[in-house]
Amino acid sequence: MDRLAKYLIIAGVTAIVLFLGWYFRTVLLYIALAVVVALIGKPVVKALTRIQIKGHHFPRWLASGLTLLIIICVCLSLFLLLAPMIGEVVHLINNLNLSTLETQIDAPLEKVNEFIIKSIPSAGQNFKIEVYLFDYLKDFINLNTFSNIIVSLASFIANFGIAIFSVVFISFFLLMENGIITDTLSSIVPDKYEEKVRRTVKSINTLLSRYFVGISLESLFVAALNSIGLIFIAKIDFQLAIVVAFASGILNIIPYLGPLIGDVLAVLMGLIYHINNGVGMPLLLFLIIILGIFIVTQFIDNYVFQPLIYSNSVKAHPLEIFIIILLAGQISGIFGILIAVPTYTVLRVIASEFLSDSKFVQKLTHNIK
């Protein structure tokens, strides 16, 4: 009976915690983002506090403030750089002439249409694949689409200021008061687990800090490589190239699926650019060149950038990471894919400390320490 009461209490407490987590999900999101910012800024704070001026070290509060200022300036600079360029891209899309597109792709698609008519007689003798493409584009690219986007952005911006202030405020104290999370968790658990908790949090901080810094650098490298290819090889307008390249770098944060979305976006923007500007090469060749640039960049990312990030930061085998990402995606879609690697890293570190007697856990966590 005592055991049943114990299980009921545990179930009740768990239910209350889950409900509170759901009810205060926005606050938890701010804290999670602040933790990510603090993990990215941690190496900078560490470097600044080592600086000595006339025998005096940099105060940690000042190092924390300067670190946040650097992060804010970088983000603001990117925004000021990309905002007018995005406006040009929107203008380019709004001025898209679909009749010009039909003229340019009519000849390349003629053989495709003939093949479909021969292979699928039910399609009819007058079947044209471009007709279906135009209908889709007309539904996708219209003023209503952009109106909905603007309304959504307005709603987002309404709460953006509160979110930014909250994240910056929390991040500052996480950076300034080194060990605040460790001390908080240590005060909750029994004394016999305190040392293990401190080791666990320290390992998690180190691994996740390396991971988020690595992911940020990977996105910049991918954006830089795509920018160079689009500007100097595809000869695309500088502003459009930068916007598309940075979008691909941001999307690259989403493992496996993000690069594919970036490729599709690049081809679509290349298609629109070719229609509006009359590039001096066949449309199909132009799109193949753009796709080739992104494929080469992805190849470099897969075989150079990602192994360095996953092996040196979270210290997990690429196959291991791939399976975890698949499982996370199956459970909760894009959100699961985004948090798969950090969550798995946290669970591995916890398992290495509290389930170290298991052979399976030993196999998974042998290279963490």
Side-chain angles (χ1 to χ4, degrees):
M1 195 67 180
D2 292 339
R3 182 176 296 181
L4 177 61
K6 180 180 178 182
Y7 289 152
L8 289 175
I9 292 172
I10 292 174
V13 171
T14 303
I16 292 172
V17 170
L18 291 175
F19 172 76
L20 291 175
W22 174 83
Y23 188 79
F24 295 106
R25 58 191 180 278
T26 303
V27 177
L28 293 178
L29 177 61
Y30 293 162
I31 295 173
L33 291 174
V35 169
V36 172
V37 172
L39 289 171
I40 293 174
K42 182 181 176 182
V44 180
V45 173
K46 190 175 181 180
L48 289 175
T49 52
R50 288 177 178 175
I51 297 176
Q52 291 189 24
I53 301 176
K54 295 183 179 181
H56 297 284
H57 286 281
F58 234 59
R60 192 170 183 89
W61 66 267
L62 183 58
S64 302
L66 286 176
T67 300
L68 284 176
L69 184 62
I70 291 170
I71 294 174
I72 292 171
C73 287
V74 170
C75 294
L76 187 60
S77 299
L78 290 175
F79 174 77
L80 294 176
L81 173 68
L82 294 177
M85 298 182 183
I86 293 173
E88 289 294 326
V89 172
V90 173
H91 178 72
L92 187 67
I93 294 174
N94 283 333
N95 292 324
L96 177 62
N97 188 348
L98 292 178
S99 60
T100 305
L101 172 62
E102 184 175 2
T103 303
Q104 290 186 354
I105 69 173
D106 185 59
L109 290 179
E110 186 175 349
K111 292 184 179 180
V112 177
N113 290 329
E114 291 176 358
F115 174 78
I116 293 175
I117 291 171
K118 290 179 181 179
S119 304
I120 310 174
S122 60
Q125 293 298 318
N126 298 322
F127 175 83
K128 287 187 176 182
I129 192 172
E130 56 265 36
V131 173
Y132 293 94
L133 290 175
F134 294 146
D135 289 340
Y136 176 77
L137 285 174
K138 286 175 183 177
D139 291 336
F140 180 75
I141 303 171
N142 56 65
L143 292 177
N144 290 332
T145 300
F146 290 102
S147 297
N148 293 333
I149 292 174
I150 291 171
V151 171
S152 299
L153 284 176
S155 176
F156 170 76
I157 292 172
N159 298 316
F160 190 68
I162 296 175
I164 292 297
F165 176 79
S166 301
V167 171
V168 170
F169 188 80
I170 298 170
S171 301
F172 175 76
F173 283 98
L174 290 177
L175 287 170
M176 185 181 69
E177 298 184 19
N178 190 29
I180 184 173
I181 296 178
T182 306
D183 294 339
T184 302
L185 292 176
S186 298
S187 64
I188 297 173
V189 300
D191 292 341
K192 62 179 180 180
Y193 296 123
E194 182 175 344
E195 188 59 34
K196 286 188 176 183
V197 168
R198 290 187 177 277
R199 287 199 304 265
T200 300
V201 175
K202 182 179 179 181
S203 298
I204 290 172
N205 278 334
T206 302
L207 293 176
L208 289 186
S209 179
R210 291 176 183 174
Y211 173 74
F212 286 119
V213 170
I215 285 292
S216 302
L217 292 175
E218 180 192 10
S219 296
L220 290 176
F221 290 150
V222 167
L225 289 177
N226 285 333
S227 297
I228 293 170
L230 292 174
I231 294 170
F232 295 104
I233 300 177
K235 306 294 184 181
I236 286 181
D237 178 73
F238 177 81
Q239 291 187 336
L240 179 61
I242 294 296
V243 171
V244 174
F246 266 90
S248 68
I250 294 171
L251 288 168
N252 200 71
I253 294 174
I254 306 173
Y256 305 108
L257 183 61
L260 179 60
I261 299 174
D263 294 346
V264 174
L265 174 65
V267 170
L268 284 176
M269 296 310 301
L271 177 65
I272 296 170
Y273 180 78
H274 192 283
I275 295 167
N276 286 6
N277 294 274
V279 178
M281 71 173 69
L283 175 62
L284 186 59
L285 177 61
F286 182 68
L287 296 181
I288 289 174
I289 289 174
I290 291 177
L291 187 59
I293 291 169
F294 276 69
I295 290 175
V296 170
T297 298
Q298 194 57 42
F299 181 85
I300 296 173
D301 181 42
N302 289 339
Y303 291 95
V304 178
F305 299 154
Q306 287 188 9
L308 288 174
I309 291 172
Y310 292 143
S311 298
N312 296 330
S313 60
V314 300
K315 299 186 181 299
H317 193 279
L319 178 60
E320 194 178 332
I321 293 295
F322 179 74
I323 293 173
I324 291 300
I325 290 173
L326 284 180
L327 294 174
Q330 184 69 29
I331 294 171
S332 56
I334 298 295
F335 179 73
I337 292 175
L338 281 172
I339 66 170
V341 176
T343 303
Y344 180 59
T345 301
V346 171
L347 294 177
R348 285 175 73 229
V349 174
I350 293 174
S352 70
E353 286 290 344
F354 293 92
L355 301 173
S356 56
D357 295 334
S358 170
K359 290 184 179 180
F360 179 70
V361 171
Q362 291 174 5
K363 177 66 177 177
L364 288 178
T365 62
H366 70 280
N367 56 348
I368 287 182
K369 299 177 181 181

